[in-house]
Amino acid sequence: MSFISRLAPAAIALPLLLAAACGTAEPSAGTTDSAAVPSAAPSTAGGVRINTSPEQNRIRADKVDAIAAKVPEAIRSKGELIVGFNGEGAPPLVSLADDDTTLIGVETDIAHLIADVLGLKVREENTSWENLFLAVKSGKYHAVLNNVTVTEERKDIYDFATYRVDQLAWQVGASSPITKIEKPADIAGLNVSVGSGTNQEKILLEWDAQNQKAGLKAAQIQYYQKYGDVLLALKSGRIQAYLGPNPPIAYQVAVGGDSRIVGTLSGGGSVEGLIAVMTLKGNGLVQPVNEAINTLIENGRYLEVLKRWGLENEALPKSLINPPGLPRQPK
């Protein structure tokens, strides 16, 4: 789904982004756990610069021979790690740089760091959200880093090595009378929007079901293909709130100035939401990827990248393989 919409240059208050960040089943076509936001010009605040140019000067790491030796021979012999991204978003996750070609963001930076430790070069593949899953399943891509949440259903097909906390945010218009959304009753009777096929949709539907069971008014849920349409709907009052991943929403709030965050919650719902590298189940890649991430955590390169994109408070103390994920949905 296309979410690209240029904004005028603006100074963003990254402390806003940082403070806000504290607070599925297989996807449907055109959807993403990382609902994207319009891209913006390079911005500075609090001593941090968000670089949206194609010249990224990425933080790099050294190869660790003992870990690189564990990479499956079929991958190691070719010397490249084929990684899938959906580049239709914006900083700080995955987006196209100002040249509309180069993929940038915290996800691409971490992918290159992992490849460095494994002694490989990243071959970036930019594709649609739904094709990320299909391409890993078919073996076309070795891995995906695209704000993918660990779920029990996805673990049937894929292996996961975690690298960030998953947080969601409730976004409302700047002039909205809504001051907080922290529990299901807060959305009773509201017109709300969410990305179809995402983990946040699952949570929203669960909240709405709880409300109806308690005799409260049902929420009116609207779906938009483009995030730009979500922003217009918030501004016009067609919807009163939007639920999506916190990092890009916080970035948009800081850059755009025409919306607010009124609540955050775990992207995992009843369990801790975790973002992870996704590989094909049982192909032998998840172990060295996990060890590479833990090496990067230990040597500080991992935290340097998160700080570069204003996401250090989503850091994990340790990468885990296939931890408990978002619960299975009743059939």
Side-chain angles (χ1 to χ4, degrees):
M1 56 186 177
S2 177
F3 286 145
I4 296 176
S5 172
R6 295 289 177 194
L7 296 174
I12 75 168
L14 266 179
L16 282 178
L17 189 156
L18 299 180
C22 288
T24 137
E26 203 69 10
S28 301
T31 62
T32 172
D33 286 352
S34 57
V37 299
S39 50
S43 307
T44 60
V48 179
R49 179 177 180 83
I50 298 296
N51 175 14
T52 58
S53 76
E55 292 77 33
Q56 285 293 293
N57 299 316
R58 289 188 172 97
I59 296 162
R60 307 309 296 253
D62 295 328
K63 178 182 178 182
V64 178
D65 291 335
I67 300 175
K70 298 180 182 180
V71 174
E73 172 61 25
I75 298 174
R76 188 171 68 251
S77 63
K78 294 184 178 179
E80 66 177 9
L81 188 69
I82 305 173
V83 184
F85 305 95
N86 177 223
E88 295 181 330
L93 297 175
V94 186
S95 67
L96 294 178
D98 299 333
D99 63 358
D100 287 325
T101 300
T102 306
L103 289 169
I104 63 172
V106 68
E107 309 291 56
T108 57
D109 279 8
I110 291 177
H112 282 273
L113 275 181
I114 291 170
D116 285 347
V117 175
L118 300 181
L120 304 171
K121 291 186 177 181
V122 173
R123 191 172 101 195
E124 298 174 351
E125 294 288 340
N126 187 6
T127 190
S128 64
W129 166 254
E130 68 275 10
N131 193 54
L132 293 173
F133 292 82
L134 296 173
V136 171
K137 187 176 181 179
S138 70
K140 182 178 179 180
Y141 297 170
H142 299 141
V144 162
L145 282 86
N146 205 94
N147 208 54
V148 177
T149 303
V150 180
T151 77
E152 290 303 307
E153 288 168 323
R154 288 174 179 168
K155 282 161 61 178
D156 291 341
I157 303 172
Y158 310 101
D159 282 326
F160 294 92
T162 61
Y163 63 94
R164 272 196 302 108
V165 175
D166 180 16
Q167 299 240 1
L168 304 178
W170 281 103
Q171 183 181 15
V172 301
S175 60
S176 171
I178 298 172
T179 59
K180 66 178 180 178
I181 297 178
E182 59 185 13
K183 59 185 183 301
D186 294 335
I187 65 163
L190 295 185
N191 291 324
V192 297
S193 182
V194 71
S196 175
T198 60
N199 293 322
Q200 50 265 31
E201 182 192 26
K202 287 184 177 182
I203 293 171
L204 177 57
L205 293 176
E206 288 171 359
W207 279 28
D208 188 50
Q210 289 180 43
N211 285 340
Q212 292 186 55
K213 187 175 181 180
L216 301 176
K217 289 185 178 180
Q220 303 302 309
I221 302 174
Q222 299 182 35
Y223 297 93
Y224 296 92
Q225 279 197 322
K226 300 179 180 179
Y227 183 70
D229 292 337
V230 171
L231 296 178
L232 289 174
L234 282 173
K235 189 172 183 179
S236 68
R238 292 197 304 275
I239 59 173
Q240 294 162 281
Y242 169 70
L243 178 63
N246 176 71
I249 289 179
Y251 186 91
Q252 166 61 24
V253 167
V255 171
D258 55 358
S259 61
R260 295 181 285 114
I261 288 176
V262 293
T264 59
L265 64 152
S266 170
S270 59
V271 301
E272 182 182 27
L274 295 169
I275 301 299
V277 180
M278 183 175 74
T279 66
L280 183 62
K281 192 171 187 66
N283 73 350
L285 184 58
V286 72
Q287 183 68 41
V289 166
N290 164 259
E291 292 184 23
I293 295 171
N294 282 323
T295 295
L296 295 164
I297 290 172
E298 292 169 6
N299 67 24
R301 295 292 186 268
Y302 164 78
L303 190 57
E304 285 182 51
V305 165
L306 293 189
K307 285 182 176 180
R308 181 174 185 240
W309 295 99
L311 295 177
E312 60 263 43
N313 54 0
E314 295 195 352
L316 291 175
K318 183 178 181 180
S319 174
L320 302 175
I321 294 176
N322 295 330
L326 197 69
R328 294 179 186 275
Q329 294 302 294
K331 294 183 179 180

